[in-house]
Amino acid sequence: MTREIDVLVIGGGQAGLAAGYYLRRAGADFVILDAQERPGGAWQHAWTSLRLFSPAQYSSLPGRMMPVPPDGGYPSAADTVAYLTDYERRYELPVLRPVTANAVRRGDGHLVVETDRGVWQAKTVISATGTWWRPYVPHYAGIRDFGGEQLHTVDYRDPEPFRGRHVVIVGGGNSAAQLLADISTVTTTTWVAQHPPRLLPDELDGRALFELATRRHRAALAGETVQGIGDLGDIVAVPPVREARERGVLKAEPMFTRITPSGIAWADGSELACDVILWCTGFRPALGHLAPLRLRGPDGLIPTEGTRAVGEPRLHLLGYGDWTGPASATLIGAGRTARDMVAQISR
Ligand code: FAD
């Protein structure tokens, strides 16, 4: 049986919930489908020590402030899961889970969404499936012959399994810095990155990056460019990262050029033995369910105007990164983009 609905949201993480908040306010006929068993999106799979890079008041969805943690510090992943769980209950958001959308196709005047629990027909589809589900590992010569263990950020929970093993951490962003800070408390590490990682000054946190994204967006609309302190990929010096810097472990080597059966090797012939390679090399947007629409550009992304897909006006994309709204992959930015998106859909 095919069910009909005006707006179907795919994904019940922070972006899907932000959309739900404004759809509810607009009186829309909508549901949210989420593949997870429980609320919280990607946050429920994050490592134990993860700390947000902004304080609670800058890490909130519309309508309800994230509670400040008892220690007054930045919220943890578990705090964020608790917040999102409470959020969807408080606003009575109609989230159906676990439901996975497998394919979105064009119908006659609507979009057809095939899921593992039946078929939906929607006038508008909002895709908010995040990136956590498509970890990215670059290819290096010898990668298959490495005799040690290889993991990605998504596999990491806590440092204990790495005690006594030499760990190479690959990547120049926040995940790499935070995992390095964590693992280096129990064992030896080597940090490698393609470009020298840039640490934001201690007094700047995610707020500065959010404000920079906002100014860049406004300037782009006016045809101008903005220079600012820091960049969106810069590392926020959250307390564990600062401690790692004090311990002297926060020094990155240049990227290796190949992997050997026992470690890594650089272009100048030098080699390093290691037991573990931890790839903190990012993610790609989880867009597989949209493949039948054939909307992807050469860069693998779907061209959008705001959140609306250029090639399919009934489809909106929310929360994947700046290309779907400035800072829309953050808690605070998802809300602002969702507000503008729902206003557009309502019109
Ligand atoms: P998700 O949380 O991934 O939610 C998407 C949901 O859609 C999931 O429940 C998923 O199961 C579901 N789904 C996927 N595919 C399907 C499908 N086909 N059908 C149905 N459901 C599907 N952000 C901040 O705002 N502040 C921070 O301080 C911050 N710090 C970070 C620090 C680190 C070290 C890292 C790595 C990330 C940080 N982030 C931060 C970013 C944040 O983790 C993500 O951007 C955020 O989880 C994305 O939310 P989302 O709703 O877009 O996606």
Side-chain angles (χ1 to χ4, degrees):
M1 199 180 75
T2 301
R3 282 164 286 183
E4 291 179 24
I5 195 99
D6 282 348
V7 184
L8 188 75
V9 183
I10 306 176
Q14 62 196 38
L17 298 190
Y21 174 87
Y22 285 108
L23 288 167
R24 164 77 76 223
R25 278 202 1 179
D29 169 37
F30 74 103
V31 292
I32 301 171
L33 309 181
D34 187 44
Q36 300 298 294
E37 298 273 348
R38 285 179 287 280
W43 295 108
Q44 55 196 306
H45 304 284
W47 56 96
T48 319
S49 69
L50 186 147
R51 285 282 170 278
L52 297 198
F53 41 64
S54 305
Q57 59 272 32
Y58 272 76
S59 303
S60 298
L61 292 177
R64 172 146 176 78
M65 199 70 93
M66 165 115 60
V68 177
D71 65 2
Y74 292 8
S76 66
D79 293 332
T80 311
V81 171
Y83 168 70
L84 295 177
T85 305
D86 173 68
Y87 190 90
E88 69 175 61
R89 276 201 208 113
R90 182 171 294 259
Y91 293 109
E92 297 178 343
L93 298 178
V95 187
L96 306 182
R97 58 167 66 89
V99 182
T100 300
N102 296 320
V104 180
R105 300 180 197 280
R106 289 188 181 88
D108 188 9
H110 53 256
L111 290 172
V112 177
V113 180
E114 296 167 9
T115 80
D116 57 353
R117 303 251 177 136
V119 178
W120 290 82
Q121 192 173 296
K123 291 181 188 152
T124 300
V125 168
I126 298 169
S127 185
T129 49
T131 58
W132 184 263
W133 326 96
R134 269 192 72 204
Y136 170 72
V137 174
H139 181 77
Y140 278 89
I143 192 166
R144 290 207 175 83
D145 305 325
F146 180 59
E149 186 181 0
Q150 296 189 62
L151 306 96
H152 186 272
T153 313
V154 294
D155 305 309
Y156 181 80
R157 290 292 165 275
D158 64 76
E160 268 320 306
F162 303 100
R163 195 178 280 277
R165 303 158 82 195
H166 188 72
V167 183
V168 169
I169 293 151
V170 188
N174 280 287
S175 308
Q178 288 199 20
L179 297 199
L180 173 76
D182 216 19
I183 295 171
S184 60
T185 58
V186 304
T187 194
T188 54
T189 52
T190 300
W191 189 15
V192 293
Q194 253 177 339
H195 308 288
R198 297 196 329 187
L199 206 62
L200 277 178
D202 286 4
E203 65 279 11
L204 294 185
D205 60 18
R207 281 173 287 192
L209 299 181
F210 176 70
E211 278 153 17
L212 179 62
T214 306
R215 279 193 284 129
R216 285 219 173 115
H217 175 63
R218 291 200 184 119
L221 292 178
E224 297 160 2
T225 51
V226 165
Q227 301 301 324
I229 322 164
D231 209 332
L232 297 179
D234 284 0
I235 295 164
V236 179
V238 290
V241 170
R242 282 185 218 175
E243 282 162 28
R245 186 186 58 202
E246 306 311 317
R247 283 187 276 118
V249 294
L250 214 61
K251 291 192 189 109
E253 304 293 334
M255 195 60 209
F256 51 78
T257 49
R258 64 189 173 89
I259 298 172
T260 69
S262 59
I264 54 177
W266 284 268
D268 65 4
S270 56
E271 295 194 14
L272 176 83
C274 66
D275 306 295
V276 179
I277 301 176
L278 176 54
W279 299 95
C280 300
T281 37
F283 302 87
R284 297 289 181 261
L287 301 175
H289 55 295
L290 302 176
L293 298 174
R294 298 186 162 275
L295 296 169
R296 282 195 200 218
D299 58 358
L301 304 182
I302 293 178
T304 50
E305 261 170 21
T307 54
R308 187 148 70 174
V310 172
E312 176 46 75
R314 289 165 296 197
L315 174 70
H316 288 255
L317 295 110
L318 178 68
Y320 297 99
D322 286 347
W323 62 284
T324 54
S328 68
T330 66
L331 283 152
I332 189 168
R336 190 179 52 185
T337 308
R339 181 195 60 203
D340 296 347
M341 177 189 68
V342 171
Q344 189 185 22
I345 292 171
S346 302
R347 280 199 298 275

